[in-house]
Amino acid sequence: MENLISRYRNVTILVAVLFAQVLGLAVQVRRATQDESTRLIRVWAVDAVTPFEKGIVWFQSSVTNLWHSYFYLRGVRQENRELKREIELLRIEQVRLNQDAEQARRLQALLGFREQYISKTLAAQVIGSSGSEQSRSIYIDKGSRDGIKPDMAVITAEGVVGKVLRAFRTASQVLLVNDQTSGVGAILEKSRLQGVLRGTPLGEVVLEKVMSDEAVQPGERVLTSGGDQIFPKGLPVGTVTKVSPGSELFLNIRVKPAADLNRLEEVLVITQREEKEPALAGGGLPIRAADILAQRLPSVPEKPPDDPNKPPPPTSGLKILPAPSAQATSGAAGIPNRKPSSTGATRQGQASSAGNTSPKPPVDSPGSAAKSETDSSATKVAGKPSAVKPATPQKTAPAAVKIPDSITNTASDSQSQPVPPKPDPQPKQPVTEPTPPQEQPQ
Amino acid sequence: MPITYTSNEQVEVYRFSIPAAILAPLIAVFLQAFVPLRFHFFSIFDLPLLVVIFFAVARRSPVTGLLTGAAIGLLQDSLTGHPLGLYGIAKTVVGYGASSLGVKLDVENAGSRLLVTLFFYVVHEIVYFTVARGLVGLTLQWSWPRELGSALANAFLAVLLFALLDRFKQRT
């Protein structure tokens, strides 16, 4: 036996070394699903390689900065002018977006919607790659010392890059989204179809698990769905480039990543996320459902001073009444609502229940008709300020949405015209202040 | 393109200084990890594999060759996201094969180096793909044109690289 081994010494050693590695592979594959600690050899390898990478990247960026900051300044003035112009345009755009965002936040708050916010990010520089076409990962110059942990999301301004696979002390390994072992929960922006984004062996990105009977068009944007608990919802992932029938009833959707994964230089690591309800503007005062919804109601022309003897003209549906002053209130009280309109009056129940902070269901449903009727009349009788017009010190409550008797019986009459409301001296603004207790509906 | 058959007595066995033996593989792994960031096409090269072939052929000792291959392969594995051993096993086989071949053939000239590298690159890829698909379950796609193109590119690079590394050879 000894002779045999010594005779075939080389082959024996080869078999032994291969066997040891195969055994090691098998153990790693078996433990892949468990919480695997980083192997020492990986730590050594990263510690041996990354300092050189960091040094070269630092030297390169220093030389580049020196050149661009002190020597190559051609065209900077022109660029500065163009940037200033662009800032002006963006400011205008920002005003509009702020309004939209504020409205969205208020609605989300009303619905008790809890949203994930990116509360803290860490900028990192890409210093290396895996060096293999079969494993698509990069190394960044921030590690556990800087607060980076495995499974943190890594993004750029363009879109999703990947997630932290391993965090070493001074560097981290990031698995790119085009690696075949990666997976990102994704959603198509327009069709809202959800799927799983995966990499292919050739480094492409495909969206899986979308049924073949769904219609997906090339050019549609793909966003993160938030379902993987790694990437916050709504981050851009890429754009659909090709759709073809796949295997097992699923579509084969090819996606071009939004971030250029072959030219990464700096990335952001999302180190902290918060799950909270959207903050409300205006000092966090509670905003009523009616205030929000009333902003979406159709505006009506100003009405001249009302003549009590004048019969109201026929209207088709929704009518916005002026502030319930003593005169208006008495008039309204005499017109009980019996039947909600099936068109514009669907929001009437919510708008009239201004004292409630929770939205009411639409009144066009049969079950809610009676309730909305009650709410509406009660609110009006009590002189409750509605959402369309803010309360004033003179107790002239703003316009309330109401369906008069004459309308409700002819709700389907499309030829009738709305009754012009009384003049409203105040601009129609949402009420953001809490309602006085004495004005609560009974 | 002469490939001379030589006896064990005729071939020269080289050795390398410790700094060269350590730094050459480290630099190869470093360049393999760093250069593709700036020049993406560079990822078709496998510098660590070329270093394994060079050391194995020059030392002409199968045991040293396979151990060198295993060490460099595991180092390369450490930088990937895959389990350790994929490159390790492939480069162990290549190290053993190249050194065994070096014992029998004179592979000191450019032509033989080109052919040897071409051959062992394909062997390396076959072993890697087999292990990756069979043991780890990775879904890799084999493409002959792509592999042969990469093999050719690596072979040409090997001719240049081996000429550079020849400077570190020390006669025994």
Side-chain angles (χ1 to χ4, degrees):
Chain A
M1 185 66 181
E2 286 180 10
N3 287 340
L4 200 68
I5 291 176
S6 59
R7 187 177 175 185
Y8 297 104
R9 188 176 70 100
N10 294 344
V11 177
T12 308
I13 294 173
L14 172 69
V15 170
V17 171
L18 288 179
F19 181 74
Q21 292 187 75
V22 169
L23 202 67
L25 260 182
V27 170
Q28 290 173 78
V29 172
R30 186 181 167 81
R31 286 182 180 170
T33 54
Q34 299 170 6
D35 187 19
E36 182 196 8
S37 58
T38 306
R39 307 270 165 200
L40 203 57
I41 189 171
R42 287 193 196 276
V43 178
W44 289 342
V46 170
D47 285 347
V49 171
T50 52
F52 296 105
E53 291 174 335
K54 278 185 183 177
I56 289 185
V57 168
W58 176 82
F59 179 75
Q60 189 185 16
S61 58
S62 300
V63 171
T64 308
N65 286 342
L66 191 73
W67 172 253
H68 285 290
S69 303
Y70 293 100
F71 297 105
Y72 191 73
L73 298 173
R74 186 182 166 197
V76 167
R77 189 171 293 175
Q78 174 67 21
E79 190 183 357
N80 196 29
R81 273 199 296 268
E82 287 170 4
L83 288 174
K84 279 180 178 173
R85 202 176 304 129
E86 193 177 339
I87 287 171
E88 292 300 320
L89 292 173
L90 288 174
R91 276 183 181 155
I92 295 169
E93 177 73 7
Q94 191 188 16
V95 171
R96 189 183 66 79
L97 291 176
N98 276 346
Q99 288 176 350
D100 288 350
E102 194 57 44
Q103 188 180 34
R105 277 196 288 271
R106 286 196 299 264
L107 287 170
Q108 286 172 348
L110 287 170
L111 296 170
F113 184 84
R114 295 183 73 81
E115 197 174 84
Q116 284 193 336
Y117 288 88
I118 300 172
S119 56
K120 203 173 174 186
T121 58
L122 182 67
Q125 196 152 26
V126 179
I127 56 170
S129 70
S130 69
S132 166
E133 285 195 316
Q134 275 75 45
S135 172
R136 297 176 193 279
S137 58
I138 55 169
Y139 283 84
I140 55 175
D141 66 344
K142 298 286 190 300
S144 57
R145 192 178 57 177
D146 306 292
I148 290 186
K149 293 173 186 164
D151 283 344
M152 283 181 170
V154 181
I155 60 173
T156 64
E158 286 80 29
V160 168
V161 170
K163 67 167 186 175
V164 176
L165 188 64
R166 293 185 181 90
F168 304 95
R169 208 173 73 85
T170 58
S172 299
Q173 188 180 16
V174 177
L175 188 70
L176 299 178
V177 290
N178 63 347
D179 187 89
Q180 59 176 316
T181 58
S182 79
V184 179
I187 186 168
L188 288 160
E189 189 179 35
K190 288 179 188 167
S191 56
R192 311 307 292 174
L193 294 168
Q194 294 205 25
V196 178
L197 201 82
R198 287 195 181 282
T200 68
L202 297 176
E204 294 168 337
V205 180
V206 292
L207 185 64
E208 295 179 344
K209 309 296 179 195
V210 176
M211 298 297 286
S212 57
D213 57 348
E214 303 286 359
V216 179
Q217 299 298 326
E220 190 169 356
R221 287 213 315 160
V222 184
L223 310 173
T224 53
S225 68
D228 50 25
Q229 300 292 314
I230 292 174
F231 297 97
K233 188 177 181 178
L235 295 175
V237 175
T239 312
V240 175
T241 55
K242 190 180 175 186
V243 182
S244 57
S247 59
E248 297 176 3
L249 301 173
F250 294 114
L251 285 174
N252 185 12
I253 302 172
R254 196 168 294 172
V255 176
K256 183 188 176 193
D260 190 351
L261 301 176
N262 291 331
R263 295 177 190 277
L264 292 170
E265 289 186 10
E266 283 167 350
V267 294
L268 287 174
V269 185
I270 299 173
T271 53
Q272 197 176 337
R273 285 187 298 164
E274 255 183 271
E275 195 177 76
K276 62 181 181 182
E277 289 179 6
L280 294 172
L285 291 173
I287 297 177
R288 295 166 300 180
D291 302 337
I292 308 300
L293 294 168
Q295 292 180 34
R296 297 191 168 194
L297 289 174
S299 60
V300 291
E302 298 297 325
K303 185 183 172 185
D306 202 8
D307 183 3
N309 298 325
K310 187 180 176 183
T315 54
S316 62
L318 183 66
K319 176 181 164 188
I320 299 180
L321 293 178
S325 59
Q327 188 183 13
T329 305
S330 62
I335 310 171
N337 289 329
R338 288 179 191 152
K339 186 177 167 187
S341 165
S342 61
T343 55
T346 53
R347 293 192 183 104
Q348 180 257 351
Q350 292 117 315
S352 59
S353 61
N356 300 331
T357 53
S358 62
K360 298 286 184 191
V363 295
D364 54 352
S365 62
S368 61
K371 188 175 187 320
S372 65
E373 219 173 89
T374 311
D375 288 347
S376 161
S377 55
T379 304
K380 246 187 110 40
V381 170
K384 174 91 177 114
S386 85
V388 180
K389 183 179 166 188
T392 59
Q394 292 83 16
K395 297 279 183 186
T396 51
V401 181
K402 188 179 180 304
I403 305 167
D405 204 8
S406 59
I407 305 167
T408 53
N409 292 330
T410 58
S412 59
D413 183 10
S414 59
Q415 300 298 322
S416 54
Q417 297 299 318
V419 178
K422 287 186 176 180
D424 188 0
Q426 298 292 330
K428 291 177 180 177
Q429 293 292 331
V431 179
T432 54
E433 296 171 4
T435 311
Q438 67 271 19
E439 292 186 354
Q440 291 294 333
Q442 300 299 313
Chain B
M1 196 181 293
I3 301 177
T4 317
Y5 184 83
T6 55
S7 67
N8 283 350
E9 288 74 26
Q10 285 176 306
V11 293
E12 282 192 276
V13 178
Y14 298 97
R15 65 183 181 87
F16 298 88
S17 65
I18 292 175
I22 292 174
L23 283 180
L26 269 181
I27 290 172
V29 171
F30 162 72
L31 289 176
Q32 188 67 44
F34 184 75
V35 180
L37 273 183
R38 267 66 183 172
F39 307 100
H40 190 64
F41 71 92
F42 196 83
S43 58
I44 66 164
F45 295 115
D46 194 341
L47 285 181
L49 175 69
L50 303 186
V51 171
V52 168
I53 294 172
F54 175 79
F55 277 111
V57 167
R59 284 169 172 156
R60 293 189 167 92
S61 163
V63 173
T64 314
L66 73 90
L67 289 178
T68 305
I72 294 177
L74 287 174
L75 186 67
Q76 199 177 359
D77 274 325
S78 304
L79 296 178
T80 68
H82 294 159
L84 298 172
L86 283 174
Y87 279 117
I89 291 173
K91 285 188 168 57
T92 302
V93 172
V94 168
Y96 179 82
S99 55
S100 301
L101 192 72
V103 172
K104 299 184 186 333
L105 297 178
D106 181 14
V107 283
E108 297 293 321
N109 57 71
S112 58
R113 283 176 168 178
L114 188 97
L115 289 180
V116 165
T117 310
L118 200 70
F119 173 73
F120 279 111
Y121 182 87
V122 175
V123 170
H124 175 269
E125 291 298 288
I126 289 173
V127 175
Y128 182 90
F129 271 66
T130 307
V131 175
R133 293 183 73 148
L135 280 176
V136 183
L138 296 178
T139 51
L140 303 177
Q141 288 177 353
W142 181 268
S143 161
W144 273 111
R146 190 162 149 267
E147 296 304 331
L148 288 178
S150 298
L152 209 59
N154 277 278
F156 280 111
L157 181 65
V159 173
L160 301 174
L161 184 71
F162 289 3
L164 182 71
L165 290 175
D166 278 341
R167 297 168 186 272
F168 299 103
K169 278 180 176 177
Q170 295 174 348
R171 291 178 190 277
T172 53

